[in-house]
Amino acid sequence: METKPKKTIAPRVDMPCQPADVRAHNFDEVATGYTKEMAMQEASRCLQCKKPLCMKGCPVEVPIRDFIAEVARGNFDAAYRIIKTTNSLPAVCGRVCPQEHQCEGKCILNAKGQPVAIGRLERFVADSYIATSACEQVTGTNSCAMPVKGKKVACIGSGPSSLTCAGVCAANGLKVDVFEALHEPGGVLIYGIPSFRLPKNVVATEVDGLRRSGVDFHLNSVGGRTFTVDELRKEYDAVFIGVGAGLPVFLGVPGENLVGVFSANEYLTRVNLGRAYAFPEQDTPAYLGKHVTVFGAGNVAMDAARTALRMGAESVHIVYRRTKAEMPARREEVEHAEEEGVKFEMLAAPVQFNGDAEMKLTSVTLQKMELGEPDASGRRRPVPVEGATYELATDLAIVALGTRSNPILLEATEGLEKTERGYIKVDEATGETSLPNVFAGGDIVTGAATVILAMGAGRRAGQEICRRLLG
């Protein structure tokens, strides 16, 4: 009896990138994207599984198998329409989602070490479509949704969760107003993620698509100050809170008030939202350091380190209490940082910042660590090596240890139930808070997490709002 020959799987198509020695000195996007031929070649690697596990790994449940099949055929518009049935921001997700832990992590080809490059294909499809009507709805028409008379939704914040909720509601014919505290919409997509990872024009295009589908953006509107949730509840049929978690966490060590010690939030906001990389053409100045040290090992730490390098630093070190194996940052971001010249100071923790007579930072004292037993996170706990400290010269320190909930809106909203950690408590299935028809999602609910998880929360809440208001 003849056995059917096994299909030979071609190797994964590499993503073209700027050379490391070139990109380390500019803010242009590192990855330059697939060509049409490369995308179709990569899409042809998909086995078109009957039960696609990749889709279960996606927080917004993109029909991955189906859109990849269209890419393999060269039907890019059809692929885009499929993605847009569940994902409001495909050009964003294709760039910043941790696919290796989500959709690609579930791909059956992952057993061979080379899953289908789902994120890269999603980015290609979105970028290919960007020149056509940003107003196209999931129905496949080119006309924007018409508001349903008398049904209005307010979204507080304009990050990924709010943009997704707004997109779902607008696509179903609801009138949506988005209130943003800053002078530019996009939330963390604009102020937190550098343009070499997520170009500002990509975010602007996604936002413009929402505008053209009837969403209005009200900028410089601070929840809890210029308006309250109670005021919105009187005017709108439903309210969604997606204000993120922007209160930085500091180290709590001596010398942290020295000139030259920044939170990653402030540093990245100055460079990204304030466009400090273009000073003096832009008004926002940046604090420049020759020897920069970043504390933390997540994606924000990688962003801060790589940004400092592009701002002209002679040396950039990332200090982390554990080893590289325990770093939570995406593998791709760590590799890019290393290629660009960022140094990693592993098994070290800061115990004191040191300054000169003018209170300017000059160095940081580091404690050598070793790994002990696993802690609650499952990672081995870092333990100090007795008597083993040393100094690292630095004139700019950036603390990237995560964030907490910003209390301004929460303290101004009576009856809004919070968790023990200070985040908004919601019904997991619908996103509804303790206040009727007030929903929440994203980092203000979960704490600092990923863009796609925030989008998943925004989608669930948007769907529930549509069910209630439209029947």
Side-chain angles (χ1 to χ4, degrees):
M1 182 177 176
E2 289 188 17
T3 57
K4 191 175 181 180
K6 291 184 179 180
K7 180 180 178 181
T8 302
I9 306 300
R12 184 169 160 129
V13 178
D14 290 334
M15 171 64 88
C17 293
Q18 289 190 69
D21 59 341
V22 174
R23 70 183 191 238
H25 305 289
N26 68 57
F27 279 83
D28 297 335
E29 191 168 12
V30 169
T32 55
Y34 278 165
T35 63
K36 172 183 174 181
E37 292 74 21
M38 295 168 77
M40 293 177 68
Q41 180 183 340
E42 179 59 29
S44 69
R45 298 180 63 241
C46 179
L47 298 180
Q48 290 294 300
C49 304
K50 289 184 178 180
K51 294 182 179 180
L53 299 177
C54 54
M55 185 173 172
K56 292 186 177 181
C58 175
V60 296
E61 298 180 325
V62 169
I64 294 168
R65 177 192 62 189
D66 300 340
F67 100 73
I68 289 180
E70 296 298 344
V71 174
R73 299 184 189 107
N75 299 331
F76 307 134
D77 280 358
Y80 181 82
R81 285 194 292 272
I82 291 169
I83 295 172
K84 286 287 282 187
T85 59
T86 66
N87 188 344
S88 300
L89 309 171
V92 171
C93 289
R95 287 170 164 85
V96 302
C97 280
Q99 289 97 3
E100 65 270 25
H101 300 305
Q102 294 174 341
C103 54
E104 292 179 16
K106 298 287 186 180
C107 177
I108 195 169
L109 295 183
N110 202 46
K112 298 177 185 279
Q114 289 193 316
V116 175
I118 299 167
R120 296 172 182 177
L121 291 175
E122 183 177 41
R123 168 189 163 157
F124 168 81
V125 170
D127 288 355
S128 297
Y129 186 80
I130 234 161
T132 62
S133 173
C135 206
E136 180 166 348
Q137 300 301 314
V138 297
T139 57
T141 66
N142 283 319
S143 60
C144 296
M146 295 299 291
V148 175
K149 187 176 181 180
K151 301 294 185 181
K152 296 169 61 180
V153 179
C155 293
I156 307 173
S158 67
S161 62
S162 276
L163 292 181
T164 302
C165 183
V168 170
C169 292
N172 283 278
L174 296 174
K175 178 66 186 76
V176 183
D177 287 303
V178 175
F179 297 87
E180 168 55 49
L182 299 174
H183 61 275
E184 189 173 342
V188 70
L189 305 176
I190 286 291
Y191 72 76
I193 303 177
S195 57
F196 56 80
R197 273 218 297 142
L198 180 61
K200 305 308 170 197
N201 66 315
V202 170
V203 180
T205 299
E206 301 281 32
V207 170
D208 285 344
L210 290 173
R211 281 198 179 100
R212 293 170 64 182
S213 60
V215 178
D216 286 329
F217 288 84
H218 306 270
L219 306 178
N220 302 305
S221 301
V222 183
R225 290 291 185 270
T226 57
F227 67 89
T228 66
V229 172
D230 287 339
E231 289 170 346
L232 294 183
R233 293 179 72 195
K234 293 174 183 176
E235 184 179 350
Y236 294 87
D237 298 282
V239 176
F240 178 81
I241 302 173
V243 293
L247 192 66
V249 174
F250 281 96
L251 291 159
V253 300
E256 208 163 19
N257 61 337
L258 289 170
V259 177
V261 181
F262 287 78
S263 70
N265 293 52
E266 180 179 355
Y267 182 75
L268 289 173
T269 299
R270 279 180 173 272
V271 176
N272 296 331
L273 179 67
R275 311 296 199 269
Y277 59 82
F279 184 80
E281 287 79 11
Q282 298 289 331
D283 292 336
T284 306
Y287 192 93
L288 303 178
K290 289 185 177 180
H291 304 290
V292 181
T293 306
V294 179
F295 301 90
N299 290 328
V300 174
M302 300 304 136
D303 286 344
R306 297 171 68 195
T307 295
L309 205 62
R310 286 161 170 78
M311 294 297 288
E314 294 177 11
S315 68
V316 179
H317 287 80
I318 284 180
V319 173
Y320 183 46
R321 300 183 303 162
R322 295 181 169 92
T323 70
K324 197 174 291 185
E326 287 83 30
M327 293 174 71
R330 293 185 66 190
R331 183 173 61 251
E332 183 178 78
E333 302 309 320
V334 175
E335 291 172 354
H336 282 171
E338 283 187 302
E339 291 168 0
E340 292 164 8
V342 173
K343 307 297 181 185
F344 289 83
E345 201 80 14
M346 299 289 100
L347 291 170
V351 292
Q352 179 175 310
F353 290 110
N354 309 302
D356 59 19
E358 296 180 340
M359 295 293 287
K360 290 184 177 180
L361 178 68
T362 57
S363 69
V364 58
T365 303
L366 298 175
Q367 167 72 58
K368 287 188 176 181
M369 312 293 283
E370 60 184 4
L371 295 182
E373 295 300 314
D375 61 14
S377 71
R379 295 176 297 175
R380 294 175 65 190
R381 185 188 302 276
V383 179
V385 177
E386 190 174 349
T389 61
Y390 62 103
E391 280 196 38
L392 181 65
T394 183
D395 54 359
L396 171 57
I398 303 170
V399 181
L401 298 182
T403 55
R404 294 176 294 169
S405 61
N406 193 316
I408 294 176
L409 179 67
L410 276 60
E411 291 179 354
T413 308
E414 290 186 14
L416 191 63
E417 192 173 350
K418 297 184 283 290
T419 66
E420 292 181 358
R421 297 173 60 205
Y423 298 106
I424 299 176
K425 189 173 184 179
V426 301
D427 181 313
E428 291 186 9
T430 64
E432 189 172 25
T433 69
S434 54
L435 299 175
N437 287 331
V438 175
F439 301 80
D443 290 0
I444 194 62
V445 172
T446 61
T450 63
V451 167
I452 192 65
L453 286 174
M455 290 175 62
R459 180 169 175 255
R460 285 191 298 275
Q463 289 172 329
E464 180 63 21
I465 289 170
C466 290
R467 277 193 288 268
R468 294 191 185 186
L469 301 190
L470 301 176

